[in-house]
Amino acid sequence: MRKIDLIVIHCSATREDRPFTEHDLDTAHRLRGFDGIGYHFYVRRNGDIKSTRTVERVGAHARGYNAHSIGICYEGGLDSHGLAKDTRTEWQRHSLRVLVRALKMDYPEARVVGHRDLSPDVNGNGEVEPMEWTKECPCFEVEREGW
């Protein structure tokens, strides 16, 4: 088993008013040249947690961090106009909490971060600030969640 020290939360960057199934996600990732879905877990709007890649297998979700991380993606992340927004349903919030807590039991040293938190600290102040984000994913403050 590989060493896991990071759990990275993502959004699918899809509109809240349109479904995006795990089949759609698989198709999108294959079109980008991936060998299947790059995330280890996908959380649908109804709260269903889909296991999309074994945790033993290196992910394809956060360049430079894949070898030692687990990727979790929730369906959504954009409002009906295509703008970044925390679109998580109550079911998704609950399922994400349950999933992260279960993973933390197996990997207690792992930090939980949002994809945007892995952006470079351009100004070198030790903190990745909104002006430094290379993307807004997962469209909420991961560190404020009660994992």
Side-chain angles (χ1 to χ4, degrees), residues 12-95:
S12 62
T14 54
R15 295 177 184 220
E16 65 185 336
D17 59 342
R18 299 178 188 169
F20 197 71
T21 68
E22 58 274 18
H23 174 74
D24 296 327
L25 182 60
D26 182 61
T27 300
H29 278 204
R30 288 181 188 279
L31 286 172
R32 292 176 59 194
F34 298 167
D35 180 19
I37 296 174
Y39 309 111
H40 296 91
F41 299 95
Y42 187 52
V43 181
R44 297 294 314 273
R45 285 191 179 94
N46 66 2
D48 284 355
I49 300 170
K50 306 294 185 178
S51 179
T52 52
R53 180 181 285 247
T54 64
V55 294
E56 293 81 16
R57 192 170 162 214
V58 173
H61 59 92
R63 183 175 288 149
Y65 298 90
N66 290 322
H68 56 93
S69 68
I70 293 173
I72 302 171
C73 179
Y74 76 91
E75 179 184 6
L78 301 179
D79 68 14
S80 59
H81 303 288
L83 300 173
K85 176 184 172 189
D86 180 1
T87 62
R88 293 174 298 157
T89 65
E90 287 303 313
W91 298 288
Q92 282 175 310
R93 290 175 193 271
H94 174 77
S95 293

